[in-house]
């Protein structure tokens, strides 16, 4: 029963085409979102991945919540419930920058052959690497990062 606003940002392609414009137009016209407001914006120039990420979310308060999805993922129907539980458990920690829906597959400072992927028996765990798939930054830490 929560209100969840949806913000969709399209990066402008390096070489725009009529087909791309038609896809964006069709997506905009066909989108149905019953959980809150929808805001769709299209960049006026190609931003690239770095700038797209840095402008993906601008929290207006320390209590704002967001999750950043790329266009090539599919999420579980339970993602929102899991994320709300994770916010309840971790959002007041200053030593955690955010959460990710991504299954961790990278181990820092290890060669691929020595790679032991943490799993914690399927339970959430704290990890020093950012998971960029379904990343939900905490507003205060995200604001500090953007100021950096």
């Amino acid at each position: 029963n929560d209100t969840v606003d949806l913000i969709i940002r399209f990066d402008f392609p390096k070489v725009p085409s009529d087909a791309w414009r038609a896809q964006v137009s069709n997506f905009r016209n066909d989108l149905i979102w019953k959980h809150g407001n929808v805001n769709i914006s299209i960049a006026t120039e190609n931003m690239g991945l770095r700038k797209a990420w840095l402008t993906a979310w601008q929290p207006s308060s320390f209590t704002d919540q967001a999750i950043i999805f790329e266009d090539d993922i599919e999420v579980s129907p339970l993602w929102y419930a899991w994320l709300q539980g994770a916010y309840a458990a971790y959002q007041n920690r200053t030593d955690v920058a955010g959460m990710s829906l991504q299954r961790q597959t990278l181990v820092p400072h290890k060669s691929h052959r020595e790679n032991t992927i943490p799993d914690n028996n399927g339970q959430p765990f704290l990890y020093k690497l950012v998971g960029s798939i379904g990343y939900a930054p905490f507003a205060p830490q995200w604001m500090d990062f953007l100021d950096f």
Side-chain angles (χ1 to χ4, degrees):
N1 295 330
D2 294 346
T3 297
V4 178
D5 293 334
L6 180 63
I7 300 169
I8 299 174
R9 300 186 190 277
F10 286 96
D11 192 4
F12 200 79
K14 291 178 183 176
V15 181
S17 67
D18 290 338
W20 177 81
R21 288 181 180 89
Q23 282 182 313
V24 170
S25 179
N26 290 340
F27 177 84
R28 178 181 279 176
N29 295 334
D30 295 344
L31 179 66
I32 297 171
W33 183 255
K34 299 176 184 178
H35 309 286
N37 296 319
V38 175
N39 178 318
I40 298 176
S41 65
I42 303 168
T44 57
E45 63 183 15
N46 182 261
M47 296 189 309
L49 188 58
R50 179 181 178 273
K51 189 173 181 182
W53 264 91
L54 294 176
T55 60
W57 180 47
Q58 303 293 321
S60 58
S61 77
F62 285 161
T63 59
D64 280 359
Q65 296 179 355
I67 187 164
I68 301 168
F69 291 122
E70 297 271 346
D71 63 351
D72 58 350
I73 67 165
E74 183 176 336
V75 295
S76 162
L78 302 175
W79 75 268
Y80 184 76
W82 183 90
L83 187 64
Q84 290 308 302
Y87 267 115
Y90 299 109
Q91 76 179 8
N92 294 321
R93 292 183 62 149
T94 58
D95 62 336
V96 176
M99 302 160 298
S100 174
L101 302 180
Q102 180 176 352
R103 177 177 292 133
Q104 193 53 259
T105 58
L106 299 174
V107 177
H109 306 293
K110 299 278 185 174
S111 73
H112 184 67
R113 281 180 243 132
E114 299 172 16
N115 206 1
T116 303
I117 299 169
D119 68 7
N120 199 32
N121 295 319
Q123 297 300 307
F125 57 94
L126 300 180
Y127 204 61
K128 291 184 178 186
L129 291 178
V130 173
S132 62
I133 298 173
Y135 182 59
F138 294 146
Q141 290 84 330
W142 187 250
M143 293 162 104
D144 286 346
F145 174 71
L146 293 176
D147 287 344
F148 173 74

